[in-house]
Amino acid sequence: DAYRISVAVAGFAPEDLIVEVKEGAVVPGNVMKVTLSCDHRVIDGASGAAFLQTLKGFLENPITMFA
């Protein structure tokens, strides 16, 4: 549809295996890159950042989506 308006587009990259230090021990960990592109005429950058923080919390602890 030529008249569809998009105000934000999110991009998700596959998980990567990384090395982390937790409590003094070297352990494997996972990281996933997420990007958000917003039309700043409609969405403030601070609102976009808050959305990404909320999304991060849900991805790290999915049960919180139902709380």
Side-chain angles (χ1 to χ4, degrees):
D1 184 80
Y3 299 104
R4 185 174 304 169
I5 298 173
S6 296
V7 296
V9 176
F12 298 85
E15 285 186 42
D16 285 329
L17 186 61
I18 61 167
V19 177
E20 295 181 301
V21 178
K22 289 186 179 178
E23 300 177 9
V26 177
V27 296
N30 293 313
V31 66
M32 182 175 74
K33 294 180 183 175
V34 178
T35 60
L36 182 68
S37 179
C38 300
D39 183 341
H40 288 272
R41 296 172 294 180
V42 180
I43 299 175
D44 183 29
S47 298
F51 168 77
L52 287 176
Q53 285 296 321
T54 301
L55 179 63
K56 178 181 182 257
F58 288 153
L59 291 173
E60 290 176 342
N61 192 4
I63 195 70
T64 60
M65 285 188 260
F66 305 106

